[in-house]
Amino acid sequence: MKDFQINEQIRDREVRVVADDGSMLGIMSAEEALKQADQRNLDLVKVSPEAKPPVCKILDYGKFKYEQNRKEKENKKNQKVVNIKEIRTSVRVQDHDLEVKAKNCRKFLSAGDKVKVSVRFRGREMAYVNRGKEVLLKFASMVDEVGTIETKPKLEGRNYTMTLSPIKGKEKK
């Protein structure tokens, strides 16, 4: 949660003041705004410091802080964390090994995670880069019922990589 300047911490010459009921009180000096807040037994809080002039609200700071925390918690609860799992294989992978990796990939995709699949080239395997792309496309076709290719296969140094993402509606919550 970001910190707000309150009461005597506000050192601006002029501020735009909004009353506790939401009505505009206009532009006035910080001292005058502080007096207005004291008359209502409330705090003066700078809510928008980057505005010209800065915007201050007259409100109960404790209640304001509590509601900000509640909103933050609610927003955290509603956001979905997407993890990226990685599956590595080689160019000389056997079909059964690829099926086992595809089974794990299906599990990750149905859980809602993205999967980065990479084919690693060692030594003279770099002469067979096109086989790496074939392995990736074959792998993608094995899991196409739960995932789609998000980034097409591309060569990055000694690795051929692609990213798979879950199909909307297919992942489990």
Side-chain angles (χ1 to χ4, degrees):
M1 187 178 135
K2 68 177 187 176
D3 292 324
F4 294 94
Q5 290 181 349
I6 59 168
N7 298 332
E8 285 77 24
Q9 294 174 348
I10 300 170
R11 301 239 181 259
D12 297 298
R13 188 172 306 193
E14 281 188 331
V15 292
R16 183 179 305 273
V17 182
V18 179
D20 53 331
D21 60 1
S23 62
M24 289 290 283
L25 297 179
I27 298 172
M28 56 182 79
S29 68
E31 295 85 29
E32 200 175 319
L34 198 53
K35 286 178 191 171
Q36 293 268 346
D38 283 340
Q39 286 174 359
R40 298 169 191 210
N41 291 328
L42 295 171
D43 300 305
L44 185 67
V45 181
K46 190 192 287 188
V47 290
S48 183
E50 60 278 339
K52 298 280 184 224
V55 178
C56 294
K57 268 189 175 178
I58 296 175
L59 43 80
D60 181 2
Y61 185 63
K63 184 178 178 184
F64 175 70
K65 203 169 166 184
Y66 169 75
E67 288 185 0
Q68 289 287 342
N69 280 335
R70 217 176 75 216
K71 279 182 190 173
E72 256 180 44
K73 283 182 184 175
E74 191 65 35
N75 288 341
K76 262 187 190 170
K77 200 187 304 179
N78 290 338
Q79 70 184 195
K80 171 97 172 79
V81 178
V82 176
N83 295 323
I84 297 180
K85 305 283 188 177
E86 184 170 8
I87 294 180
R88 290 182 181 168
T89 186
S90 74
V91 183
R92 296 176 285 138
V93 67
Q94 297 298 311
D95 286 342
H96 178 67
D97 296 335
L98 205 59
E99 287 168 15
V100 170
K101 289 176 189 281
K103 181 180 170 190
N104 285 332
C105 183
R106 279 190 207 96
K107 193 166 49 176
F108 296 146
L109 289 169
S110 61
D113 298 327
K114 291 184 179 182
V115 179
K116 179 180 176 185
V117 185
S118 59
V119 174
R120 191 173 45 230
F121 296 101
R122 289 191 166 143
R124 294 200 31 89
E125 290 176 353
M126 284 300 289
Y128 304 103
V129 174
N130 57 343
R131 284 194 194 158
K133 187 173 184 178
E134 290 169 13
V135 169
L136 287 176
L137 293 175
K138 181 178 179 182
F139 188 85
S141 69
M142 292 171 118
V143 296
D144 62 355
E145 69 273 358
V146 288
T148 58
I149 298 175
E150 186 177 277
T151 57
K152 298 250 185 266
K154 65 180 177 202
L155 190 62
E156 297 171 344
R158 290 192 159 271
N159 293 321
Y160 224 124
T161 62
M162 80 172 168
T163 309
L164 299 171
S165 61
I167 295 174
K168 296 286 181 227
K170 292 271 185 169
E171 68 266 5
K172 294 175 191 160
K173 299 286 184 239

